Amino acid sequence: MKFFIDTANLDQIREAQDLGILDGVTTNPSLMAKEGISGQDNVMAHYKAICDIVDGDVSAEVISTDYEGILREAEVLAALDEKIVVKVPMIKDGVKAINYLTQNGVKTNCTLVFTVGQAIMAAKAGATYISPFVGRLDDLSENGLELIANMAQVFAVQGYQSQILAASIRSPLHIVDCARLGANVITSPLSSILALLNHPLTDIGLAKFLADHQKANG
Ligand code: E4P
């Protein structure tokens, strides 16, 4: 399973890249706004800065909701760097645009997917990645992980080539469960990725090993 980081924060992207576990980045308009990035030139420069840090795919989201507008934005984004994946919302014009972009060799990420039916439409259109939002379903007391499991089953049965990119990850356990259920990729905040490293018995064990070494060696 690939690890993407879900942020537009350059320091966090650098930290994950330095750790050697990073396969890509996803952003969205909210994450860009959180970093104070606005205006077309600044947004493009920021995507380019992300591409220069990470070895892997970088999802950049369109803000148009009509077919022509999505394609216009996609052309500019895709020309920016070969790592760019054009992130397109799960709407009718979005699916139509994904189909066109796929046929023209542009990588896509279909975002805001909440049902298996939506995932099937995105897979039929040929999306490179499809992003089911686990945490946002959990927030409504629907089971986000069940969507991952159901998508993995349908994709295996049907032989769909699109990669399941589990998004809206809120905890290290989400990451472990996504791996267990067959997600191809997770995109997560850095905090949940780093939390995978932790166990108190590791800390206690390490402290004891070092203390014993110190006792024996002075
Ligand atoms: C997906 O690519 C989105 O950027 C993201 O995972 C949304 O997560 P959130 O529900 O924590 O905002």
mmCIF file with all atom_site columns, all heavy atoms in Angstrom, residues 8 15 22 26 29 37 39 46 60 62 65 67 70 127 132 145 149 152 158 169 171 179 185 205-206 211:
data_model
loop_
_atom_site.group_PDB
_atom_site.id
_atom_site.type_symbol
_atom_site.label_atom_id
_atom_site.label_alt_id
_atom_site.label_comp_id
_atom_site.label_asym_id
_atom_site.label_entity_id
_atom_site.label_seq_id
_atom_site.pdbx_PDB_ins_code
_atom_site.Cartn_x
_atom_site.Cartn_y
_atom_site.Cartn_z
_atom_site.occupancy
_atom_site.B_iso_or_equiv
_atom_site.pdbx_formal_charge
_atom_site.auth_seq_id
_atom_site.auth_comp_id
_atom_site.auth_asym_id
_atom_site.auth_atom_id
_atom_site.pdbx_PDB_model_num
ATOM 1   N N   . ALA A 1 8   ? -0.822  20.543 2.196   1.00 0.00 ? 8   ALA A N   1
ATOM 2   C CA  . ALA A 1 8   ? -0.093  21.444 1.289   1.00 0.00 ? 8   ALA A CA  1
ATOM 3   C C   . ALA A 1 8   ? 1.054   22.104 2.046   1.00 0.00 ? 8   ALA A C   1
ATOM 4   O O   . ALA A 1 8   ? 1.678   23.037 1.537   1.00 0.00 ? 8   ALA A O   1
ATOM 5   C CB  . ALA A 1 8   ? -1.046  22.496 0.730   1.00 0.00 ? 8   ALA A CB  1
ATOM 6   N N   . GLU A 1 15  ? 9.331   16.485 5.694   1.00 0.00 ? 15  GLU A N   1
ATOM 7   C CA  . GLU A 1 15  ? 9.578   15.545 6.806   1.00 0.00 ? 15  GLU A CA  1
ATOM 8   C C   . GLU A 1 15  ? 9.217   14.113 6.384   1.00 0.00 ? 15  GLU A C   1
ATOM 9   O O   . GLU A 1 15  ? 9.969   13.176 6.640   1.00 0.00 ? 15  GLU A O   1
ATOM 10  C CB  . GLU A 1 15  ? 8.765   15.971 8.040   1.00 0.00 ? 15  GLU A CB  1
ATOM 11  C CG  . GLU A 1 15  ? 9.084   15.143 9.272   1.00 0.00 ? 15  GLU A CG  1
ATOM 12  C CD  . GLU A 1 15  ? 8.353   15.626 10.533  1.00 0.00 ? 15  GLU A CD  1
ATOM 13  O OE1 . GLU A 1 15  ? 7.896   16.793 10.577  1.00 0.00 ? 15  GLU A OE1 1
ATOM 14  O OE2 . GLU A 1 15  ? 8.246   14.813 11.471  1.00 0.00 ? 15  GLU A OE2 1
ATOM 15  N N   . LEU A 1 22  ? 7.419   8.106  1.765   1.00 0.00 ? 22  LEU A N   1
ATOM 16  C CA  . LEU A 1 22  ? 6.394   8.869  1.049   1.00 0.00 ? 22  LEU A CA  1
ATOM 17  C C   . LEU A 1 22  ? 6.314   8.480  -0.425  1.00 0.00 ? 22  LEU A C   1
ATOM 18  O O   . LEU A 1 22  ? 7.329   8.420  -1.115  1.00 0.00 ? 22  LEU A O   1
ATOM 19  C CB  . LEU A 1 22  ? 6.685   10.371 1.174   1.00 0.00 ? 22  LEU A CB  1
ATOM 20  C CG  . LEU A 1 22  ? 5.540   11.283 0.752   1.00 0.00 ? 22  LEU A CG  1
ATOM 21  C CD1 . LEU A 1 22  ? 4.330   11.088 1.664   1.00 0.00 ? 22  LEU A CD1 1
ATOM 22  C CD2 . LEU A 1 22  ? 5.964   12.750 0.776   1.00 0.00 ? 22  LEU A CD2 1
ATOM 23  N N   . THR A 1 26  ? -1.466  14.491 -1.660  1.00 0.00 ? 26  THR A N   1
ATOM 24  C CA  . THR A 1 26  ? -2.767  14.980 -2.139  1.00 0.00 ? 26  THR A CA  1
ATOM 25  C C   . THR A 1 26  ? -3.025  16.338 -1.495  1.00 0.00 ? 26  THR A C   1
ATOM 26  O O   . THR A 1 26  ? -2.666  16.566 -0.338  1.00 0.00 ? 26  THR A O   1
ATOM 27  C CB  . THR A 1 26  ? -3.929  14.026 -1.772  1.00 0.00 ? 26  THR A CB  1
ATOM 28  O OG1 . THR A 1 26  ? -3.903  13.762 -0.364  1.00 0.00 ? 26  THR A OG1 1
ATOM 29  C CG2 . THR A 1 26  ? -3.849  12.726 -2.541  1.00 0.00 ? 26  THR A CG2 1
ATOM 30  N N   . PRO A 1 29  ? -8.531  22.335 -2.217  1.00 0.00 ? 29  PRO A N   1
ATOM 31  C CA  . PRO A 1 29  ? -8.597  23.794 -2.050  1.00 0.00 ? 29  PRO A CA  1
ATOM 32  C C   . PRO A 1 29  ? -8.587  24.225 -0.584  1.00 0.00 ? 29  PRO A C   1
ATOM 33  O O   . PRO A 1 29  ? -8.027  25.283 -0.250  1.00 0.00 ? 29  PRO A O   1
ATOM 34  C CB  . PRO A 1 29  ? -9.925  24.155 -2.739  1.00 0.00 ? 29  PRO A CB  1
ATOM 35  C CG  . PRO A 1 29  ? -10.091 23.091 -3.789  1.00 0.00 ? 29  PRO A CG  1
ATOM 36  C CD  . PRO A 1 29  ? -9.576  21.827 -3.147  1.00 0.00 ? 29  PRO A CD  1
ATOM 37  N N   . ILE A 1 37  ? -2.266  30.018 0.688   1.00 0.00 ? 37  ILE A N   1
ATOM 38  C CA  . ILE A 1 37  ? -1.912  30.115 -0.735  1.00 0.00 ? 37  ILE A CA  1
ATOM 39  C C   . ILE A 1 37  ? -3.139  30.552 -1.525  1.00 0.00 ? 37  ILE A C   1
ATOM 40  O O   . ILE A 1 37  ? -4.162  29.853 -1.510  1.00 0.00 ? 37  ILE A O   1
ATOM 41  C CB  . ILE A 1 37  ? -1.428  28.749 -1.297  1.00 0.00 ? 37  ILE A CB  1
ATOM 42  C CG1 . ILE A 1 37  ? -0.426  28.074 -0.356  1.00 0.00 ? 37  ILE A CG1 1
ATOM 43  C CG2 . ILE A 1 37  ? -0.875  28.918 -2.711  1.00 0.00 ? 37  ILE A CG2 1
ATOM 44  C CD1 . ILE A 1 37  ? 0.852   28.824 -0.171  1.00 0.00 ? 37  ILE A CD1 1
ATOM 45  N N   . GLY A 1 39  ? -4.513  32.946 -5.301  1.00 0.00 ? 39  GLY A N   1
ATOM 46  C CA  . GLY A 1 39  ? -4.121  33.549 -6.581  1.00 0.00 ? 39  GLY A CA  1
ATOM 47  C C   . GLY A 1 39  ? -3.484  32.503 -7.465  1.00 0.00 ? 39  GLY A C   1
ATOM 48  O O   . GLY A 1 39  ? -2.655  31.698 -6.999  1.00 0.00 ? 39  GLY A O   1
ATOM 49  N N   . HIS A 1 46  ? 3.124   26.927 -5.840  1.00 0.00 ? 46  HIS A N   1
ATOM 50  C CA  . HIS A 1 46  ? 3.099   26.029 -4.678  1.00 0.00 ? 46  HIS A CA  1
ATOM 51  C C   . HIS A 1 46  ? 3.039   24.566 -5.125  1.00 0.00 ? 46  HIS A C   1
ATOM 52  O O   . HIS A 1 46  ? 3.741   23.717 -4.568  1.00 0.00 ? 46  HIS A O   1
ATOM 53  C CB  . HIS A 1 46  ? 1.919   26.375 -3.767  1.00 0.00 ? 46  HIS A CB  1
ATOM 54  C CG  . HIS A 1 46  ? 2.091   25.867 -2.364  1.00 0.00 ? 46  HIS A CG  1
ATOM 55  N ND1 . HIS A 1 46  ? 2.919   26.468 -1.451  1.00 0.00 ? 46  HIS A ND1 1
ATOM 56  C CD2 . HIS A 1 46  ? 1.573   24.781 -1.736  1.00 0.00 ? 46  HIS A CD2 1
ATOM 57  C CE1 . HIS A 1 46  ? 2.898   25.790 -0.313  1.00 0.00 ? 46  HIS A CE1 1
ATOM 58  N NE2 . HIS A 1 46  ? 2.079   24.755 -0.454  1.00 0.00 ? 46  HIS A NE2 1
ATOM 59  N N   . ALA A 1 60  ? -3.562  17.678 -7.628  1.00 0.00 ? 60  ALA A N   1
ATOM 60  C CA  . ALA A 1 60  ? -3.919  19.097 -7.615  1.00 0.00 ? 60  ALA A CA  1
ATOM 61  C C   . ALA A 1 60  ? -5.370  19.197 -8.097  1.00 0.00 ? 60  ALA A C   1
ATOM 62  O O   . ALA A 1 60  ? -5.689  18.721 -9.181  1.00 0.00 ? 60  ALA A O   1
ATOM 63  C CB  . ALA A 1 60  ? -2.990  19.879 -8.528  1.00 0.00 ? 60  ALA A CB  1
ATOM 64  N N   . VAL A 1 62  ? -9.020  20.658 -9.338  1.00 0.00 ? 62  VAL A N   1
ATOM 65  C CA  . VAL A 1 62  ? -9.662  21.718 -10.129 1.00 0.00 ? 62  VAL A CA  1
ATOM 66  C C   . VAL A 1 62  ? -10.763 22.353 -9.284  1.00 0.00 ? 62  VAL A C   1
ATOM 67  O O   . VAL A 1 62  ? -11.299 21.727 -8.367  1.00 0.00 ? 62  VAL A O   1
ATOM 68  C CB  . VAL A 1 62  ? -10.274 21.171 -11.443 1.00 0.00 ? 62  VAL A CB  1
ATOM 69  C CG1 . VAL A 1 62  ? -9.210  20.578 -12.353 1.00 0.00 ? 62  VAL A CG1 1
ATOM 70  C CG2 . VAL A 1 62  ? -11.376 20.151 -11.165 1.00 0.00 ? 62  VAL A CG2 1
ATOM 71  N N   . THR A 1 65  ? -16.567 23.276 -12.158 1.00 0.00 ? 65  THR A N   1
ATOM 72  C CA  . THR A 1 65  ? -17.522 22.177 -12.034 1.00 0.00 ? 65  THR A CA  1
ATOM 73  C C   . THR A 1 65  ? -18.200 21.871 -13.378 1.00 0.00 ? 65  THR A C   1
ATOM 74  O O   . THR A 1 65  ? -19.119 21.072 -13.438 1.00 0.00 ? 65  THR A O   1
ATOM 75  C CB  . THR A 1 65  ? -18.597 22.497 -10.970 1.00 0.00 ? 65  THR A CB  1
ATOM 76  O OG1 . THR A 1 65  ? -19.192 23.754 -11.303 1.00 0.00 ? 65  THR A OG1 1
ATOM 77  C CG2 . THR A 1 65  ? -17.998 22.556 -9.579  1.00 0.00 ? 65  THR A CG2 1
ATOM 78  N N   . TYR A 1 67  ? -17.646 20.798 -17.581 1.00 0.00 ? 67  TYR A N   1
ATOM 79  C CA  . TYR A 1 67  ? -16.721 19.994 -18.394 1.00 0.00 ? 67  TYR A CA  1
ATOM 80  C C   . TYR A 1 67  ? -15.599 20.822 -19.016 1.00 0.00 ? 67  TYR A C   1
ATOM 81  O O   . TYR A 1 67  ? -14.426 20.515 -18.829 1.00 0.00 ? 67  TYR A O   1
ATOM 82  C CB  . TYR A 1 67  ? -17.550 19.284 -19.476 1.00 0.00 ? 67  TYR A CB  1
ATOM 83  C CG  . TYR A 1 67  ? -16.764 18.429 -20.438 1.00 0.00 ? 67  TYR A CG  1
ATOM 84  C CD1 . TYR A 1 67  ? -16.132 17.263 -20.019 1.00 0.00 ? 67  TYR A CD1 1
ATOM 85  C CD2 . TYR A 1 67  ? -16.679 18.791 -21.791 1.00 0.00 ? 67  TYR A CD2 1
ATOM 86  C CE1 . TYR A 1 67  ? -15.421 16.473 -20.918 1.00 0.00 ? 67  TYR A CE1 1
ATOM 87  C CE2 . TYR A 1 67  ? -15.972 17.995 -22.695 1.00 0.00 ? 67  TYR A CE2 1
ATOM 88  C CZ  . TYR A 1 67  ? -15.344 16.844 -22.253 1.00 0.00 ? 67  TYR A CZ  1
ATOM 89  O OH  . TYR A 1 67  ? -14.653 16.068 -23.140 1.00 0.00 ? 67  TYR A OH  1
ATOM 90  N N   . ILE A 1 70  ? -13.216 22.286 -16.360 1.00 0.00 ? 70  ILE A N   1
ATOM 91  C CA  . ILE A 1 70  ? -12.346 21.251 -15.773 1.00 0.00 ? 70  ILE A CA  1
ATOM 92  C C   . ILE A 1 70  ? -11.202 20.937 -16.738 1.00 0.00 ? 70  ILE A C   1
ATOM 93  O O   . ILE A 1 70  ? -10.033 20.866 -16.341 1.00 0.00 ? 70  ILE A O   1
ATOM 94  C CB  . ILE A 1 70  ? -13.155 19.969 -15.448 1.00 0.00 ? 70  ILE A CB  1
ATOM 95  C CG1 . ILE A 1 70  ? -14.155 20.242 -14.319 1.00 0.00 ? 70  ILE A CG1 1
ATOM 96  C CG2 . ILE A 1 70  ? -12.222 18.817 -15.072 1.00 0.00 ? 70  ILE A CG2 1
ATOM 97  C CD1 . ILE A 1 70  ? -15.161 19.123 -14.069 1.00 0.00 ? 70  ILE A CD1 1
ATOM 98  N N   . ALA A 1 127 ? -10.463 6.539  -14.159 1.00 0.00 ? 127 ALA A N   1
ATOM 99  C CA  . ALA A 1 127 ? -9.667  7.325  -13.207 1.00 0.00 ? 127 ALA A CA  1
ATOM 100 C C   . ALA A 1 127 ? -8.434  6.537  -12.748 1.00 0.00 ? 127 ALA A C   1
ATOM 101 O O   . ALA A 1 127 ? -8.524  5.334  -12.497 1.00 0.00 ? 127 ALA A O   1
ATOM 102 C CB  . ALA A 1 127 ? -10.518 7.694  -11.989 1.00 0.00 ? 127 ALA A CB  1
ATOM 103 N N   . PRO A 1 132 ? -12.287 7.439  -1.890  1.00 0.00 ? 132 PRO A N   1
ATOM 104 C CA  . PRO A 1 132 ? -13.371 7.339  -0.923  1.00 0.00 ? 132 PRO A CA  1
ATOM 105 C C   . PRO A 1 132 ? -12.953 8.023  0.378   1.00 0.00 ? 132 PRO A C   1
ATOM 106 O O   . PRO A 1 132 ? -11.826 7.848  0.833   1.00 0.00 ? 132 PRO A O   1
ATOM 107 C CB  . PRO A 1 132 ? -13.518 5.827  -0.716  1.00 0.00 ? 132 PRO A CB  1
ATOM 108 C CG  . PRO A 1 132 ? -12.202 5.249  -1.074  1.00 0.00 ? 132 PRO A CG  1
ATOM 109 C CD  . PRO A 1 132 ? -11.542 6.177  -2.057  1.00 0.00 ? 132 PRO A CD  1
ATOM 110 N N   . LEU A 1 145 ? -14.887 2.470  6.576   1.00 0.00 ? 145 LEU A N   1
ATOM 111 C CA  . LEU A 1 145 ? -14.032 1.330  6.205   1.00 0.00 ? 145 LEU A CA  1
ATOM 112 C C   . LEU A 1 145 ? -14.807 0.278  5.413   1.00 0.00 ? 145 LEU A C   1
ATOM 113 O O   . LEU A 1 145 ? -14.241 -0.438 4.589   1.00 0.00 ? 145 LEU A O   1
ATOM 114 C CB  . LEU A 1 145 ? -13.408 0.711  7.459   1.00 0.00 ? 145 LEU A CB  1
ATOM 115 C CG  . LEU A 1 145 ? -12.348 1.582  8.131   1.00 0.00 ? 145 LEU A CG  1
ATOM 116 C CD1 . LEU A 1 145 ? -11.975 1.019  9.495   1.00 0.00 ? 145 LEU A CD1 1
ATOM 117 C CD2 . LEU A 1 145 ? -11.108 1.716  7.246   1.00 0.00 ? 145 LEU A CD2 1
ATOM 118 N N   . ALA A 1 149 ? -13.775 -1.758 1.947   1.00 0.00 ? 149 ALA A N   1
ATOM 119 C CA  . ALA A 1 149 ? -13.889 -3.217 1.759   1.00 0.00 ? 149 ALA A CA  1
ATOM 120 C C   . ALA A 1 149 ? -14.767 -3.535 0.546   1.00 0.00 ? 149 ALA A C   1
ATOM 121 O O   . ALA A 1 149 ? -14.422 -4.393 -0.285  1.00 0.00 ? 149 ALA A O   1
ATOM 122 C CB  . ALA A 1 149 ? -14.470 -3.860 3.017   1.00 0.00 ? 149 ALA A CB  1
ATOM 123 N N   . ALA A 1 152 ? -12.987 -2.646 -2.684  1.00 0.00 ? 152 ALA A N   1
ATOM 124 C CA  . ALA A 1 152 ? -11.911 -3.612 -2.987  1.00 0.00 ? 152 ALA A CA  1
ATOM 125 C C   . ALA A 1 152 ? -12.508 -4.894 -3.575  1.00 0.00 ? 152 ALA A C   1
ATOM 126 O O   . ALA A 1 152 ? -11.956 -5.462 -4.527  1.00 0.00 ? 152 ALA A O   1
ATOM 127 C CB  . ALA A 1 152 ? -11.100 -3.910 -1.726  1.00 0.00 ? 152 ALA A CB  1
ATOM 128 N N   . GLN A 1 158 ? -14.398 -7.212 -10.770 1.00 0.00 ? 158 GLN A N   1
ATOM 129 C CA  . GLN A 1 158 ? -14.556 -6.614 -12.101 1.00 0.00 ? 158 GLN A CA  1
ATOM 130 C C   . GLN A 1 158 ? -13.229 -6.358 -12.823 1.00 0.00 ? 158 GLN A C   1
ATOM 131 O O   . GLN A 1 158 ? -13.219 -6.022 -14.002 1.00 0.00 ? 158 GLN A O   1
ATOM 132 C CB  . GLN A 1 158 ? -15.318 -5.275 -11.989 1.00 0.00 ? 158 GLN A CB  1
ATOM 133 C CG  . GLN A 1 158 ? -16.742 -5.424 -11.472 1.00 0.00 ? 158 GLN A CG  1
ATOM 134 C CD  . GLN A 1 158 ? -17.608 -6.266 -12.398 1.00 0.00 ? 158 GLN A CD  1
ATOM 135 O OE1 . GLN A 1 158 ? -17.420 -6.269 -13.623 1.00 0.00 ? 158 GLN A OE1 1
ATOM 136 N NE2 . GLN A 1 158 ? -18.553 -7.010 -11.830 1.00 0.00 ? 158 GLN A NE2 1
ATOM 137 N N   . ILE A 1 169 ? -8.457  10.242 6.160   1.00 0.00 ? 169 ILE A N   1
ATOM 138 C CA  . ILE A 1 169 ? -7.933  9.325  7.190   1.00 0.00 ? 169 ILE A CA  1
ATOM 139 C C   . ILE A 1 169 ? -7.752  10.123 8.474   1.00 0.00 ? 169 ILE A C   1
ATOM 140 O O   . ILE A 1 169 ? -7.202  11.226 8.456   1.00 0.00 ? 169 ILE A O   1
ATOM 141 C CB  . ILE A 1 169 ? -6.582  8.728  6.706   1.00 0.00 ? 169 ILE A CB  1
ATOM 142 C CG1 . ILE A 1 169 ? -6.802  7.802  5.504   1.00 0.00 ? 169 ILE A CG1 1
ATOM 143 C CG2 . ILE A 1 169 ? -5.847  8.030  7.844   1.00 0.00 ? 169 ILE A CG2 1
ATOM 144 C CD1 . ILE A 1 169 ? -7.541  6.533  5.790   1.00 0.00 ? 169 ILE A CD1 1
ATOM 145 N N   . SER A 1 171 ? -6.835  8.464  11.713  1.00 0.00 ? 171 SER A N   1
ATOM 146 C CA  . SER A 1 171 ? -6.113  7.796  12.803  1.00 0.00 ? 171 SER A CA  1
ATOM 147 C C   . SER A 1 171 ? -5.163  6.744  12.239  1.00 0.00 ? 171 SER A C   1
ATOM 148 O O   . SER A 1 171 ? -5.348  6.276  11.111  1.00 0.00 ? 171 SER A O   1
ATOM 149 C CB  . SER A 1 171 ? -7.105  7.104  13.740  1.00 0.00 ? 171 SER A CB  1
ATOM 150 O OG  . SER A 1 171 ? -7.669  5.981  13.085  1.00 0.00 ? 171 SER A OG  1
ATOM 151 N N   . ALA A 1 179 ? -5.072  -0.961 4.958   1.00 0.00 ? 179 ALA A N   1
ATOM 152 C CA  . ALA A 1 179 ? -4.097  -1.934 4.433   1.00 0.00 ? 179 ALA A CA  1
ATOM 153 C C   . ALA A 1 179 ? -4.714  -3.339 4.447   1.00 0.00 ? 179 ALA A C   1
ATOM 154 O O   . ALA A 1 179 ? -4.587  -4.100 3.492   1.00 0.00 ? 179 ALA A O   1
ATOM 155 C CB  . ALA A 1 179 ? -2.822  -1.900 5.266   1.00 0.00 ? 179 ALA A CB  1
ATOM 156 N N   . VAL A 1 185 ? -3.770  2.722  -1.781  1.00 0.00 ? 185 VAL A N   1
ATOM 157 C CA  . VAL A 1 185 ? -3.094  3.931  -1.303  1.00 0.00 ? 185 VAL A CA  1
ATOM 158 C C   . VAL A 1 185 ? -3.884  4.482  -0.122  1.00 0.00 ? 185 VAL A C   1
ATOM 159 O O   . VAL A 1 185 ? -5.115  4.369  -0.121  1.00 0.00 ? 185 VAL A O   1
ATOM 160 C CB  . VAL A 1 185 ? -3.069  5.038  -2.392  1.00 0.00 ? 185 VAL A CB  1
ATOM 161 C CG1 . VAL A 1 185 ? -2.142  6.168  -2.019  1.00 0.00 ? 185 VAL A CG1 1
ATOM 162 C CG2 . VAL A 1 185 ? -2.748  4.496  -3.775  1.00 0.00 ? 185 VAL A CG2 1
ATOM 163 N N   . GLY A 1 205 ? 11.049  -0.836 26.509  1.00 0.00 ? 205 GLY A N   1
ATOM 164 C CA  . GLY A 1 205 ? 12.063  -1.832 26.138  1.00 0.00 ? 205 GLY A CA  1
ATOM 165 C C   . GLY A 1 205 ? 13.384  -1.182 25.763  1.00 0.00 ? 205 GLY A C   1
ATOM 166 O O   . GLY A 1 205 ? 14.453  -1.626 26.175  1.00 0.00 ? 205 GLY A O   1
ATOM 167 N N   . LEU A 1 206 ? 13.299  -0.097 24.995  1.00 0.00 ? 206 LEU A N   1
ATOM 168 C CA  . LEU A 1 206 ? 14.523  0.582  24.551  1.00 0.00 ? 206 LEU A CA  1
ATOM 169 C C   . LEU A 1 206 ? 15.262  1.197  25.743  1.00 0.00 ? 206 LEU A C   1
ATOM 170 O O   . LEU A 1 206 ? 16.492  1.079  25.861  1.00 0.00 ? 206 LEU A O   1
ATOM 171 C CB  . LEU A 1 206 ? 14.186  1.660  23.506  1.00 0.00 ? 206 LEU A CB  1
ATOM 172 C CG  . LEU A 1 206 ? 15.382  2.436  22.957  1.00 0.00 ? 206 LEU A CG  1
ATOM 173 C CD1 . LEU A 1 206 ? 16.397  1.510  22.290  1.00 0.00 ? 206 LEU A CD1 1
ATOM 174 C CD2 . LEU A 1 206 ? 14.918  3.508  21.968  1.00 0.00 ? 206 LEU A CD2 1
ATOM 175 N N   . ALA A 1 211 ? 19.788  1.146  29.433  1.00 0.00 ? 211 ALA A N   1
ATOM 176 C CA  . ALA A 1 211 ? 20.221  1.182  30.846  1.00 0.00 ? 211 ALA A CA  1
ATOM 177 C C   . ALA A 1 211 ? 21.106  -0.022 31.143  1.00 0.00 ? 211 ALA A C   1
ATOM 178 O O   . ALA A 1 211 ? 22.150  0.101  31.814  1.00 0.00 ? 211 ALA A O   1
ATOM 179 C CB  . ALA A 1 211 ? 19.000  1.185  31.761  1.00 0.00 ? 211 ALA A CB  1
#
